[in-house]
Amino acid sequence: AGRRSRGSWFDPCVPLSEISRDTSPDGARVRYQLPLANDQDTRFLLVEFFLARDARTDNTIVFDLEIVDSDGTVSQTPALHIKPFDFALPAEHSVPLLANIGYEDVMTHHQARGLLPWEEHQLWNDYLAILREHRIIPYDPMPAHRFDWSLYRKFVIPFYQGTVVEGNTPAPAVYFPDNPYPPGTPAAQEFDRKVTEALQRADLVDRSIRYVADEPIISDYGQIVAAAEWTRELDPGIRVLVTEPWTPSLSGAVDIWCVDIPFYAPPFLFLPVYGRGSGLYPDFQVRTSTPAYRNAPKSELWLYTCMSAQFLGYPDLFIDSSTSAHRVIPWLLQLWNGKGMVHYNMTYTYNDGNDPWLDQFAFGTNGDGTLLYPGRPDIPGIDRHRGIASLRMKILRDGLEDYEYLQIFRQRGASDQEIDETIRSVAQSALRWER
């Protein structure tokens, strides 16, 4: 747990290499190779089941696992019996989770370690498929180092529509791309208009979100109001998001208040200063939980978590935390009637020549800003360049699926009191939740 620590941690979920497969009317027998670095090396096995939506509920699926050592010794685990429910999770996710993934960081890292030019497209599609499999929507899925209109229309728009990644569904939220031109210039305005027209033609406006300011200070508020007014002029269906607690100064301009969990509840009364870069700036603001998040017609509460969660025991996405710290975040979202989530980076420690397999330390913690691993042929058990999901992503997905189960519970007739009691049996506040 520190910058200089080395060794294995139970976080990257490396897929096993299939050796053989035998099928019969009674089922299938599949053999995999489990690579170990040495005789003292240890691994954990995470078995994921994906059942068809029309799986018969009167059938029980039996799963047996045998581990065969190199000397032929067989270890048998107890059989696992899986009984499908009589309902399925919805194809379209109820909770948008927008996250940044750096195309340049990914490609630069893999290129420096043997990625060939003609492999780049497949690698990027592989990363996007992993994100969608874990219910995550990338800010910018464009397969290029800079904005390209042809790729935006032919790749990005179809990706959000759910036609790029096999077996995909439409994205619950669509990120309005960052403008590459100076604000207020004719080129910037023309860029925004063309993006809006593309979203309108694709019928994606009502899912579109414009992230106009990241953790602003008071002196930024005028620019936020101007950006919100311009966005309304483009199309009133595009929602404006800021990573900021509710403040009356921006009421009416902001549609989505995306709040760092410690700044929502239990609330800080105020922060007299705010650090940005190497400077401190006056930032007197009341930080309080308030129904004002829901007063405006389209106003929503979203959540995010980052380095501030390392204090006091807030939920987080750090490697060294318990898995319950990841899974409980969507429960808090439900507790507070929140509608979505943001995560600021999935591949932060890919950059500057760093190797995420050796060092995940950033912002005082291990794993903050990096939820993916760069699968490479030099890593034991990996035969090609590919993205590797982290255990934290899978546990967070469990929490997002819990959110869906609660929606199904409500649809099946559960009262508000039953829903509330169920949520509070798991999470009472940001600092009081079941470990």
Side-chain angles (χ1 to χ4, degrees), residues 345-367:
N345 210 326
M346 305 289 291
T347 55
Y348 183 84
T349 56
Y350 279 48
N351 58 21
D352 297 330
N354 184 64
D355 189 349
W357 293 95
L358 300 177
D359 190 354
Q360 284 266 4
F361 192 82
F363 307 105
T365 67
N366 286 306

Side-chain angles (χ1 to χ4, degrees), residues 408-421:
I408 295 171
F409 188 29
R410 189 186 303 276
Q411 293 164 8
R412 291 194 161 203
S415 66
D416 290 344
Q417 180 179 347
E418 288 176 308
I419 295 289
D420 186 67
E421 289 175 353

